[in-house]
Structures are given as structure tokens and as C-alpha cells.
Amino acid sequence: TFALVVVLGVYLALDPDTYRRGFVRLLPLHRRQLVDAALGDAGNKLYSWLVGQGMSMLGVGLMTMISLTLIGMPLALALGVIAALLDFIPFFGPIVAGLLAVVLAFASGPEMALKVAVAVIVIQQIEGNILMPLVQRWAVSLPPVLGLLAVVIFGLLFGLPGVLLATPLMVVATALIGSLRWAIVLGIAW
């Protein structure tokens, strides 16, 4: 299922306008313009979120690699890449990456594990309190509670794929609700 979602995502990403136009053509004429505009807004917000998330992932990966290299941790580059990739999973990914780095640091001794733990905590504080708010304010305005609820709800509903895709799904949902709410409230389109 996850592989199918990835393949579908790639096809949709390669030519989104074709699929959007096809979907909009399924709707009655009087609803097409409103839904097309809402889908366009959702696509723009999803793109902005993805760019922002990529910037955050890159920042976390670089900070991890540099700090682990400076304290003499073996596998600093690999751990930086892992931290960057796991940063895509909101809230829980950074915890897993940090725990992995600390567990691997115990192979070099408890002193190294302590240094790595401090580095990981500092990096996560920088990301959570400085980097991510700036990036998310620039990219999309998704309240943190909605992000956390999305991870829990989509995780319960769809398992690991739900956890991985929770935040982008919530970005799309909030964009669609924001675009369509007045039309729905006023009964214009529905």
C-alpha cells in the first residue's frame, strides 16, 4: 500500500494539472471554478510546505553532521543523513533519530553518549523553537496542535503511511477548508 501511495504521488506530482482538470470536469459546471481555485490553493500550500520541510530537514541534517563531527562521533555523516530523513516525520522522527545517535554513541563510551545527547537536544531545540517556526510561518500557517493531532489521527487510521503523510494531508485539508468555508457556510457552491 505504501509503495502504491508513493507511485501515485510521483505520477500526481509529475503532472498535477492533468489530474486536477480531470477531477474538476467530474463536477457540475457551477461548482468547477470554486473547486478548481480551492485545489489550486491547496496545491500551492502543499508545495510551500514541502519546500519549507525540505529546508528544515537540510538544516537538521547539517547541524547534526557538523556537531557530531566536532565532538568526534563516528558515523557523523550517516547520522546527519538519518536525522534529516527522519525529520520528515513530525514530532516522533527527531526523537527516533536522536535516540539512534545516542545508542550508537555508547559504542564509544558513556562520555560520548552524553555529548551526543546534549548535541541532539540542542539541535532539536534550535529546530523546534527557531528554525521550524520561521520556516512554517514562511511556508504555511499550520497550528502545532493540528500537526500533532494529524499524526495521531492519521497514524491510528492508516498506520505508518498515515504518520508519514499526516502533516501534508493536514496542510491540504486546512487549505481546502479555508478556501471552501465561506462557500459552504453561505451555501453558494453546495
Side-chain angles (χ1 to χ4, degrees):
T1 302
F2 184 70
L4 180 61
V5 168
V6 170
V7 170
L8 285 173
V10 168
Y11 281 124
L12 287 170
L14 290 175
D15 192 14
D17 291 334
T18 298
Y19 300 105
R20 186 169 109 194
R21 282 191 312 268
F23 175 74
V24 169
R25 285 184 185 146
L26 296 173
L27 301 172
L29 285 173
H30 68 283
R31 294 185 182 155
R32 289 181 184 177
Q33 185 177 7
L34 176 69
V35 172
D36 188 47
L39 290 174
D41 182 47
N44 290 337
K45 289 211 167 94
L46 184 60
Y47 176 79
S48 294
W49 173 83
L50 191 56
V51 170
Q53 187 65 33
M55 290 170 45
S56 176
M57 291 168 63
L58 180 64
V60 167
L62 287 173
M63 286 188 292
T64 301
M65 182 195 69
I66 291 168
S67 63
L68 294 182
T69 300
L70 290 175
I71 62 175
M73 173 69 185
L75 302 172
L77 176 62
L79 289 170
V81 170
I82 291 169
L85 293 174
L86 286 177
D87 196 53
F88 185 79
I89 303 169
F91 307 106
F92 305 111
I95 293 170
V96 171
L99 288 174
L100 176 64
V102 171
V103 167
L104 288 175
F106 269 110
S108 297
E111 184 179 319
M112 180 62 75
L114 181 61
K115 289 179 185 177
V116 170
V118 169
V120 165
I121 290 170
V122 168
I123 291 166
Q124 291 313 312
Q125 291 302 310
I126 291 170
E127 189 226 5
N129 295 311
I130 299 171
L131 183 62
M132 209 53 185
L134 290 173
V135 168
Q136 288 301 333
R137 184 171 11 137
W138 170 78
V140 291
S141 55
L142 183 68
V145 171
L146 286 182
L148 184 56
L149 283 175
V151 171
V152 172
I153 292 168
F154 288 117
L156 289 172
L157 291 174
F158 305 112
L160 181 60
V163 170
L164 294 174
L165 300 173
T167 304
L169 288 172
M170 187 58 80
V171 167
V172 169
T174 57
L176 289 174
I177 290 168
S179 295
L180 298 174
R181 75 173 170 245
W182 290 113
I184 292 169
V185 168
L186 298 174
I188 292 171
W190 307 109

